[in-house]
Amino acid sequence: MRTRSGSHKTRSPATGRPKEYRSVLEETFWLSANTFELRLARPEGFAFRAGQHIRLHSQGLERDYSLTTGPEEAPLGLCIRHVPGGGVTPALASLEPGEELTFSGPRGHFAFRPSDRPAVFVASGTGIAPFAAMVRSGVRGFLLLHGVREPDELYYENLFLDAAAEVVPCLTGHGTGKSPRTDAFSGRVTAYLESQLPRKEYDFYLCGREEMIRDVTLLVDEAFAGSRVYAEIFFAGAGD
Ligand SMILES: Cc1cc2nc3c(=O)[nH]c(=O)nc-3n(C[C@H](O)[C@H](O)[C@H](O)COP(=O)(O)OP(=O)(O)OC[C@H]3O[C@@H](n4cnc5c(N)ncnc54)[C@H](O)[C@@H]3O)c2cc1C
């Protein structure tokens, strides 16, 4: 069935149990050669907190995606990497505007918690998504490390440049992307933290690949005593 606007089945407070919603795709916007933003009609009654995710239903499968937009914004944004041969992302990448999607949510507890300690956001690849939502909900003054291979994968960079105290792109590729960058840190986010970040207490927010989260958490334990770590794992194994 196709509809033009989102609709809700049951009301759900942002902190309540996930509910099922119907929506339609408004637009697909490609952020790079392999990553796209889905813009979904916001179902009436759907509420969430910045940093939370939804569970999309597609191809008889379910996959989780963090919302990139602020809690008051519409349409809803999702930043999705096209995984060749993946069970769901190839189908999501080829959706046409107007096609219906169902999802459940909101889900998760990855939210910004203000404190006296400086906030350090660390993302790998599409792990940048919940941080975009946090900025759009008003979070400011953090240090952002975004680990990617090539500069054209630094999604939402202008949004972060306006909101962050500092943005450090951490590039692990060979600079063969469309727009080579000389101002970036060359290496992994863990290498930057280990070699550049002054030793004191921070609130670390980590999102993306499991290996990055494990490595940064171990480093924090060793080098940044008294710090807190909040983490959202997107996937384990190969990938960016
Ligand atoms: C809480 C949560 C939030 C998530 N939010 C996002 C999000 O905002 N954006 C997003 O793209 N994915 C996100 N994911 C991952 C997403 O749920 C899917 O696993 C992913 O889109 C792959 O789905 P698939 O069916 O196409 O691939 P599958 O058939 O499930 O193949 C999975 C393989 O693809 C690779 N892979 C999975 N996700 C990524 C990725 N993001 N980047 C690179 N390689 C990957 C891994 O090697 C993984 O083993 C999130 C996962 C969780 C648990």
Side-chain angles (χ1 to χ4, degrees), residues 32-104:
S32 72
N34 54 32
T35 297
F36 56 96
E37 184 173 279
L38 287 187
R39 295 172 183 165
L40 308 180
R42 183 176 183 139
E44 193 189 332
F46 176 66
F48 66 100
R49 283 176 289 133
Q52 289 191 293
H53 60 275
I54 59 173
R55 182 161 294 168
L56 275 188
H57 310 295
S58 173
Q59 314 294 299
L61 300 171
E62 296 181 330
R63 295 288 187 271
D64 292 331
Y65 295 101
S66 297
L67 291 151
T68 61
T69 35
E72 308 303 327
E73 294 178 323
L76 303 173
L78 305 175
C79 169
I80 301 177
R81 185 178 180 95
H82 175 221
V83 178
V88 164
T89 53
L92 295 178
S94 59
L95 281 174
E96 296 288 338
E99 286 194 71
E100 184 175 288
L101 282 158
T102 58
F103 69 83
S104 63

Side-chain angles (χ1 to χ4, degrees), residues 113-137:
R113 295 168 172 81
S115 84
D116 293 338
R117 292 174 295 276
V120 181
F121 292 174
V122 186
S124 63
T126 54
I128 198 70
F131 299 126
M134 290 180 195
V135 165
R136 287 169 169 151
S137 74

Side-chain angles (χ1 to χ4, degrees), residues 112-169:
F112 183 71
R113 295 168 172 81
S115 84
D116 293 338
R117 292 174 295 276
V120 181
F121 292 174
V122 186
S124 63
T126 54
I128 198 70
F131 299 126
M134 290 180 195
V135 165
R136 287 169 169 151
S137 74
V139 177
R140 298 286 182 271
F142 50 87
L143 164 64
L144 170 69
L145 308 185
H146 191 185
V148 296
R149 286 196 186 174
E150 303 295 339
D152 60 350
E153 297 169 303
L154 295 167
Y155 317 122
Y156 311 113
E157 191 179 18
N158 287 336
L159 179 75
F160 291 109
L161 287 171
D162 284 345
E166 191 178 359
V167 175
V168 181

Side-chain angles (χ1 to χ4, degrees), residues 137-218:
S137 74
V139 177
R140 298 286 182 271
F142 50 87
L143 164 64
L144 170 69
L145 308 185
H146 191 185
V148 296
R149 286 196 186 174
E150 303 295 339
D152 60 350
E153 297 169 303
L154 295 167
Y155 317 122
Y156 311 113
E157 191 179 18
N158 287 336
L159 179 75
F160 291 109
L161 287 171
D162 284 345
E166 191 178 359
V167 175
V168 181
C170 296
L171 305 180
T172 55
H174 302 292
T176 54
K178 277 184 227 154
S179 35
R181 292 275 294 258
T182 51
D183 59 330
F185 179 77
S186 182
R188 296 189 177 280
V189 292
T190 38
Y192 181 90
L193 292 170
E194 196 165 15
S195 63
Q196 309 291 322
L197 192 67
R199 297 309 194 244
K200 57 180 187 179
E201 294 179 5
Y202 300 91
D203 285 346
F204 289 93
Y205 293 80
L206 317 178
C207 187
R209 189 177 173 186
E210 185 179 45
E211 183 186 30
M212 178 279 282
I213 289 169
R214 185 197 62 212
D215 291 349
V216 173
T217 303
L218 288 172

